[in-house]
Amino acid sequence: MIIGSGPAGYTAAIYASRANLGPILYEGMQPGGQLTITDMVENFPGFPDALSGQELMERMRQQVVRFGVEIRPHLCVKSDLSAAPYHFVFDDDTQVEADTVIIATGASAKFLGLSDERKYMGQGVSACATCDGFFYRRRTVAVVGGGDTACGEAIYLAGLAKKVYLVVRKPFLRASKILQQRVEENEKIEILYETNTEGLYGEDGVEGAHLVFRKGETDERHYDLPIDGLFLAIGHKPNSDVFKPWIETDESGYIKTKNGTPCTNIPGVFAAGDVADPDYRQAIVAAGSGCKAAMEAERFLQGK
């Protein structure tokens, strides 16, 4: 069984089906994964012309269907990995047992909680500078966050954009010293300390952000900042809760795997894609890990 339907889940399904394992794939709450909310994809090999994330994932799904994989639309809500065969309950009350499981449930970007974030998603709002930064060459963007991820994304975007604002709600950066230094020394990056994002505006996409300086203080000040794009860099939450306490995770909830393989601490249970990847979070990396997970599942079953 494969739980999740992003690049990792779909690739695992293709390889598992071609190995005659008869996989069942559960799509979960977001069929196609996070890539479906990415406007354009230009860095996935084999597609010289840009295509939308939605189209790329639909093509992957069609390939999965072509190989006869049974796809079910439900979300896993409970698991019991104490002993094989492993037991799962889904949101339609279906209970399923499987000898091998590939967990490919991804990681969800953390949002500020503004309604405008969803409104402009794919139209100026992004949670991945590496994915979408290319579309903001010689334009003005803002990055929200003050940790390593935010500083790293600001530095990356500074190599593409005309101007980068780093919106930090605290009066300091939480990032490592070396990243702080690189951000502070980059003349394209301007840090807006003690600043919160309250909303966005624009007709056919993001044209600016509503900001507030020193919110709740006597010198509180509201103003609008013209920008072409807003990048959220306040972290990701791996979708691993349903597999606890059986699966070992790190302090952030990312599933731990062994020695560069997709193998977890439980025999026959494998993890692929962003749910086990706090570092790269790229479609091509996820797809590769899905391939490895399917191959490991096949070897595991052969060994039994």
Side-chain angles (χ1 to χ4, degrees):
M1 183 166 64
I2 299 163
I3 305 175
S5 58
Y10 282 155
T11 303
I14 291 167
Y15 274 79
S17 183
R18 283 171 51 85
N20 201 32
L21 300 184
I24 293 173
L25 182 145
Y26 278 89
E27 288 185 307
M29 63 186 298
Q30 189 176 14
Q34 281 198 97
L35 210 61
T36 57
I37 59 174
T38 298
D39 187 22
M40 298 299 292
V41 178
E42 291 189 323
N43 56 1
F44 199 91
F47 296 93
D49 298 318
L51 74 170
S52 70
Q54 184 75 47
E55 183 181 358
L56 177 60
M57 297 318 301
E58 179 56 31
R59 290 191 183 193
M60 284 193 190
R61 191 182 194 278
Q62 290 173 6
Q63 194 170 359
V64 169
V65 171
R66 177 190 162 209
F67 285 113
V69 177
E70 182 180 349
I71 299 177
R72 299 178 181 177
H74 301 292
L75 177 71
C76 183
V77 295
K78 187 177 181 181
S79 70
D80 184 350
L81 306 178
S82 58
Y86 304 115
H87 188 87
F88 301 87
V89 180
F90 291 84
D91 58 3
D92 64 342
D93 294 328
T94 301
Q95 299 191 36
V96 180
E97 288 186 341
D99 294 309
T100 57
V101 182
I102 296 173
I103 299 171
T105 46
S108 301
K110 294 180 181 177
F111 289 86
L112 296 170
L114 307 174
S115 59
D116 288 342
E117 290 172 306
R118 298 294 181 182
K119 176 182 177 181
Y120 291 105
M121 182 58 68
Q123 295 181 303
V125 172
S126 172
C128 180
T130 309
C131 308
D132 300 326
F134 182 78
F135 302 107
Y136 295 88
R137 289 174 297 170
R138 296 181 292 277
R139 302 176 79 180
T140 300
V141 299
V143 177
V144 179
D148 283 353
T149 299
C151 287
E153 302 232 317
I155 293 166
Y156 175 81
L157 288 166
L160 300 167
K162 177 176 66 177
K163 174 78 173 181
V164 179
Y165 293 98
L166 185 59
V167 183
V168 185
R169 64 184 179 88
K170 294 182 179 294
F172 57 86
L173 294 173
R174 294 180 292 103
S176 60
K177 293 297 182 184
I178 184 64
L179 284 177
Q180 290 186 40
Q181 181 180 345
R182 289 174 182 172
V183 165
E184 291 164 352
E185 292 176 351
N186 194 311
E187 57 186 28
K188 280 190 177 182
I189 301 174
E190 181 177 343
I191 306 173
L192 305 177
Y193 288 112
E194 297 185 84
T195 301
N196 287 275
T197 306
E198 291 192 314
L200 301 165
Y201 62 89
E203 291 297 323
D204 297 315
V206 170
E207 296 176 6
H210 302 301
L211 303 180
V212 56
F213 173 70
R214 287 179 59 83
K215 185 175 182 179
E217 302 297 329
T218 55
D219 57 347
E220 176 180 296
R221 177 170 59 91
H222 296 258
Y223 65 100
D224 290 344
L225 180 70
I227 56 173
D228 301 300
L230 181 78
F231 288 85
L232 300 168
I234 54 177
H236 286 73
K237 184 182 185 305
N239 302 317
S240 61
D241 288 353
V242 73
F243 307 109
K244 297 176 181 177
W246 321 106
I247 293 284
E248 288 184 1
T249 64
D250 66 11
E251 62 277 4
S252 299
Y254 288 95
I255 295 177
K256 291 183 178 181
T257 55
K258 299 179 180 179
N259 303 320
T261 74
C263 302
T264 70
N265 60 299
I266 299 178
V269 179
F270 309 95
D274 287 8
V275 74
D277 179 11
D279 298 316
Y280 300 103
R281 294 193 298 271
Q282 296 296 300
I284 189 65
V285 177
S289 68
C291 164
K292 292 197 293 184
M295 294 178 72
E296 288 291 349
E298 181 185 10
R299 292 171 182 168
F300 177 80
L301 290 171
Q302 285 177 343
K304 291 189 71 176

